[in-house]
Amino acid sequence: MSETETAPTEQEETAPEPILSVTDLRKEFSGITAVDSVTFDIEPSGMTGLIGPNGAGKSTTFNCITNLVSPDGGTVVFDGEDVTGMPTYRIARKGLIRTFQIARELREMTVLENMMLTANEQNESPFHAVSPGLRDNVRRQEERLLETAWELLEFFDIDHLAYSYAGTLSGGQRKLLELARALMADPEMLMLDEPFAGVNPTLEERLLDRLHALTQEGYTFLVVEHDIKLIMSNCERVLVMHQGELLADGPPEFVREDERVIEAYLGGEVSG
């Protein structure tokens, strides 16, 4: 080993490969740059917060990662595979699932039916109707999925609403249903867009408890949220966007003291 080389630290040797890598992501709308060369990695497990003022580019970044909006440049690598520009449903099937600020449940169906529709294992075919063996496989699969659906509804304390129409749920209950539906798809990583918006403090605390429990089980979360104190108190890492750019990236205590963040986004004061 030469004098200029250094041995890798224990942290470098054991650092996990990122589950999500975003590199030089760019998006323009009518000549206005909404996302400007954004680059970050997300390691598996844990909860990362993404904050920034309205118009900072947070939701557009989410949309470009999942290809709801096609990026104009850059790459997105998920679980070691380049998924840039891949159809949204294929990205979801690979285990990268997102929720939306406004819940998108099927209002005319029951809560349980909503859950079953989002399961990632459904594989029906016309041959199932004529083959007893295939019919048995489908029946066993449906039984497993139904068991999973009930477990998730119980986990989020909405199992008592299983046979209620989704359109009758409160805003907070719809948030819980959307997250339960996302988990029904068996994701590797969840991107949550304003999961606490419109949620009362009691329900917010319950939802946070569920998210922390899920991180202990190995789930990975990237959370867009306007409540700075909530993000600072619950995320191990915080990304800050401003005018389409990534302004800061680090643990809450680091971001809280970053003068650029204080000046450009937080109006001179960071609490949390």
Side-chain angles (χ1 to χ4, degrees):
M1 181 180 292
S2 69
E3 292 181 0
T4 59
E5 292 177 329
T6 58
T9 65
E10 182 178 349
Q11 182 177 6
E12 289 172 338
E13 291 177 340
T14 59
E17 290 293 322
I19 190 171
L20 178 70
S21 293
V22 177
T23 306
D24 291 330
L25 197 65
R26 294 184 290 105
K27 183 63 185 178
E28 293 185 2
F29 295 102
S30 302
I32 298 175
T33 302
V35 178
D36 190 0
S37 300
V38 167
T39 297
F40 61 84
D41 290 339
I42 302 293
E43 293 182 355
S45 300
M47 196 182 319
T48 299
L50 176 58
I51 63 175
N54 289 332
K58 306 183 301 296
S59 292
T60 302
T61 297
F62 261 39
N63 291 339
C64 287
I65 291 171
T66 55
N67 203 39
L68 284 173
V69 173
S70 297
D72 294 323
T75 59
V76 178
V77 175
F78 175 68
D79 202 17
E81 181 176 357
D82 190 340
V83 298
T84 313
M86 185 178 289
T88 301
Y89 74 90
R90 287 186 57 196
I91 294 175
R93 286 180 180 175
K94 291 182 180 299
L96 181 58
I97 303 292
R98 67 159 297 173
T99 65
F100 295 85
Q101 181 175 353
I102 300 175
R104 297 188 173 188
E105 76 283 348
L106 299 173
R107 298 175 62 85
E108 301 302 320
M109 301 184 72
T110 68
V111 167
L112 186 59
E113 288 168 339
N114 269 268
M115 293 289 291
M116 295 298 288
L117 278 178
T118 57
N120 207 17
E121 297 181 10
Q122 297 192 48
N123 185 25
E124 295 187 1
S125 161
F127 296 108
H128 294 154
V130 296
S131 171
L134 290 176
R135 285 201 303 271
D136 289 342
N137 287 338
V138 171
R139 177 180 54 77
R140 287 192 293 270
Q141 176 180 289
E142 288 180 345
E143 289 174 351
R144 289 195 301 270
L145 293 175
L146 187 61
E147 181 179 358
T148 300
W150 277 107
E151 288 175 352
L152 285 168
L153 292 177
E154 184 176 359
F155 181 77
F156 287 104
D157 291 336
I158 54 174
D159 49 313
H160 62 289
L161 299 169
Y163 297 111
S164 300
Y165 288 106
T168 66
L169 302 185
S170 69
Q173 290 168 340
R174 289 200 297 272
K175 293 281 188 178
L176 294 173
L177 173 58
E178 181 158 32
L179 187 51
R181 290 174 66 206
L183 290 169
M184 193 72 186
D186 193 24
E188 295 292 328
M189 176 175 174
L190 276 162
M191 299 170 56
L192 309 181
D193 192 355
E194 298 281 356
F196 306 103
V199 174
N200 66 56
T202 300
L203 197 55
E204 178 182 288
E205 184 175 352
R206 189 198 313 171
L207 185 52
L208 282 167
D209 287 343
R210 299 300 186 271
L211 293 181
H212 285 299
L214 290 166
T215 62
Q216 294 300 312
E217 294 181 15
Y219 284 95
T220 306
F221 294 96
L222 177 59
V223 184
V224 164
E225 180 57 51
H226 278 97
D227 189 330
I228 300 165
K229 183 176 181 180
L230 185 150
I231 289 295
M232 293 292 185
S233 301
N234 291 279
C235 294
E236 299 90 353
R237 179 177 165 210
V238 179
L239 308 173
V240 183
M241 288 191 68
H242 179 63
Q243 295 181 349
E245 298 181 345
L246 188 64
L247 190 65
D249 175 0
E253 59 271 19
F254 170 82
V255 171
R256 188 181 293 116
E257 301 299 327
D258 191 306
E259 293 294 335
R260 298 169 304 164
V261 176
I262 296 172
E263 178 67 24
Y265 174 48
L266 299 175
E269 180 182 356
V270 182
S271 61

